[in-house]
Structure formats: C-alpha cells, structure tokens
Amino acid sequence: MQLGKAFARPLPAQQQALEPVKMPAYLAIKDEDGNGTPDWQDELVRAGIFSTSSPPDASETATSSDPLSDIGAALAQSLISGYLSLAQYDAYTPERGEQLANTIAENLRAPVTFVPHAVDELSLDPDTSRSRISRYRTDVQLALQPLLTDEEYELTLFAAYIETNDPAWLDRLSKASKNYRAAEENLLAVRVPQDAAPEHLRLANALGAFAETLERMTRFAKDPFASIALLRTYNERERDLDLAFDALVKYYARTIGDN
C-alpha cells in the first residue's frame, strides 16, 4: 500500500537542464579500507545489497534463471548510478533525488519471459457455418471450466500473504495459476473454425501470460522489488485477458448473432 502511494505521487516540476560554466569537479571516490571497492559499495554489500548484476558468489544466492531474480540489484545500481551522476556535477538536491527515484519506480517492470503461441499450433477447421461456430462456442466453454473453480480474486490471495506471511495463501495462488494453465492447454486442444483463429489465439496467449504472472508472483513473493514489478505486470496481463474475452464475445455476436 505504501509503495502504491509512492507510485501515485505526482512527479516534481521538470527542472531546467544545467549547463556548467566551468569544468565540473569530480568527487573523490573514497576507499577507506583500501580493498579496491568504493566505500558506498562496501556498505551495500554489508547490508546484503549488491550493486552489480550478480553478487560475489552467485552460486550461493541464485535460485532462479528468471531475469526477475536480479531486479533488486539492477534497481540498486540504477539508483546509485543516478545519484553519483548528480553528485559528480554537484547537482544533487533532495528534490532531484526524489525525481530520480520516482522515474525509476515508474519504469519498473518485470522482464517478459512468456513466449506467445503461434497460429500453427492450432487445429483449424474450414467450416465456418453458424452451426459449427455454435459447437465451437460450447467447446470453448468446456475448455475454460478450470477457471470456474477459482473462489477468490488472485490479488486478494497475494495481499493476504503480504499481511500474514502465511505460505498457505501462496499455495492457493499457485493453485489458481494452475487453473489458468489448464484452461490455456485446453484451448490449444480445441478445433477452431478458421475465421476464429485470431480471437482464439489471443485468448490462449492471454491465459498463458496471466498464468505465468501468477506463477512468478508465487515464486518471488518474498522479494519486495520483484513483487512491485509483478503487480504492475499483473494489472497489464489482467487487462489483456479481459480484452481477449471481449474479442471472442464480439466474434460470437458477429457470426451467430448472440450478444
């Protein structure tokens, strides 16, 4: 909730670009212990935050090949680099620091890993008669039956985990993701009237992308940076899913006259 408020805060007024009248005096990078690493990096490491894409011993901490696993380090690097750039030009102010942080937050997104299905994965039927489309609609309804077992809104489950830290809520979120996966697989097995291919493929892909988002939310629930990025992705995937269902309903209305 706190992060949501931060994202909703309007950005400060755009500052005019500064043009130094003399060569900038760069700040000395302190290294008190002489280990070859700047003091600011040493402090981050002691706090468990790494400023590079991988910690010193990635084999001990890497738990996933998902690029989202490095999002905290990437975010820290962006903040550090931005701060040092401002500081080197003696241009840092609290307002500019806040603007930098807000800009980075606004652009925080989970890397896309879902690979969309192609039309050649569908079994197409040249029969596009009204009776055939009516049978197709029934087949789609049966394919989507796994979604009827979802009892609670997925964000409610995730929010309950955040509030309670009870892994049972993640188990329920994982179950929901499997239902979306099952619906995706069922749709790909349906024989599709040829003129319904675009709408059918759009829905299958929307279901797959949404299922993957839920899977990642379950996997990275303990990572605050990854969770923020995934909540943004969730909103986008949910909207894609709604639009895909809407497109299929419009196809039915166009071909068999149902509203």
Side-chain angles (χ1 to χ4, degrees):
M1 290 174 63
Q2 294 296 331
L3 289 165
K5 292 177 182 177
F7 287 142
R9 186 186 307 137
L11 293 177
Q14 183 68 33
Q15 300 291 330
Q16 293 183 350
L18 298 177
E19 296 183 7
V21 296
K22 61 180 180 180
M23 291 296 292
Y26 288 89
L27 300 179
I29 298 178
K30 297 181 180 180
D31 181 17
E32 295 290 347
D33 56 8
N35 66 349
T37 303
D39 289 345
W40 61 268
Q41 288 190 4
D42 289 336
E43 287 297 323
L44 288 173
V45 171
R46 281 191 285 272
I49 301 174
F50 298 90
S51 61
T52 57
S53 60
S54 300
D57 187 358
S59 62
E60 295 182 0
T61 58
T63 59
S64 172
S65 59
D66 192 317
L68 193 59
S69 60
D70 289 333
I71 196 168
L75 182 61
Q77 181 65 53
S78 297
L79 287 168
I80 292 163
S81 298
Y83 167 75
L84 289 179
S85 295
L86 290 171
Q88 285 179 339
Y89 284 92
D90 197 24
Y92 177 80
T93 64
E95 292 75 18
R96 289 197 182 99
E98 183 177 3
Q99 184 176 8
L100 169 66
N102 285 336
T103 299
I104 292 173
E106 285 294 331
N107 290 283
L108 186 62
R109 293 289 188 278
V112 177
T113 56
F114 177 72
V115 179
H117 300 290
V119 69
D120 58 8
E121 296 180 54
L122 301 179
S123 174
L124 299 180
D125 187 345
D127 184 357
T128 58
S129 64
R130 180 170 179 169
S131 60
R132 176 66 185 90
I133 294 172
S134 295
R135 293 198 306 273
Y136 162 69
R137 182 176 60 176
T138 300
D139 292 340
V140 169
Q141 291 171 344
L142 292 173
L144 296 177
Q145 280 190 341
L147 302 183
L148 300 179
T149 61
D150 289 340
E151 299 176 354
E152 293 185 76
Y153 186 39
E154 294 82 13
L155 276 186
T156 301
L157 300 176
F158 189 72
Y161 169 75
I162 296 299
E163 290 182 2
T164 64
N165 205 33
D166 183 350
W169 292 107
L170 292 183
D171 292 338
R172 295 172 70 174
L173 186 62
S174 177
K175 181 181 177 181
S177 71
K178 291 177 182 177
N179 291 336
Y180 283 94
R181 280 294 184 199
E184 172 197 14
E185 293 171 3
N186 291 346
L187 270 188
L188 292 174
V190 169
R191 185 163 174 77
V192 184
Q194 187 169 304
D195 63 347
E199 290 82 4
H200 192 91
L201 190 62
R202 181 178 182 180
L203 182 56
N205 282 328
L207 285 167
F210 191 72
E212 182 186 67
T213 300
L214 296 181
E215 292 164 355
R216 296 170 92 190
M217 288 171 66
T218 303
R219 191 182 316 134
F220 292 100
K222 295 182 179 180
D223 185 329
F225 298 121
S227 294
I228 296 169
L230 284 169
L231 286 172
R232 288 180 176 274
T233 303
Y234 178 96
N235 289 335
E236 296 168 358
R237 297 305 192 198
E238 184 180 45
R239 181 174 182 272
D240 291 343
L241 190 57
D242 289 342
L243 292 175
F245 273 112
D246 183 63
L248 189 59
V249 169
K250 289 178 178 177
Y251 167 79
Y252 294 147
R254 186 173 66 249
T255 54
I256 56 180
D258 287 356
N259 293 321

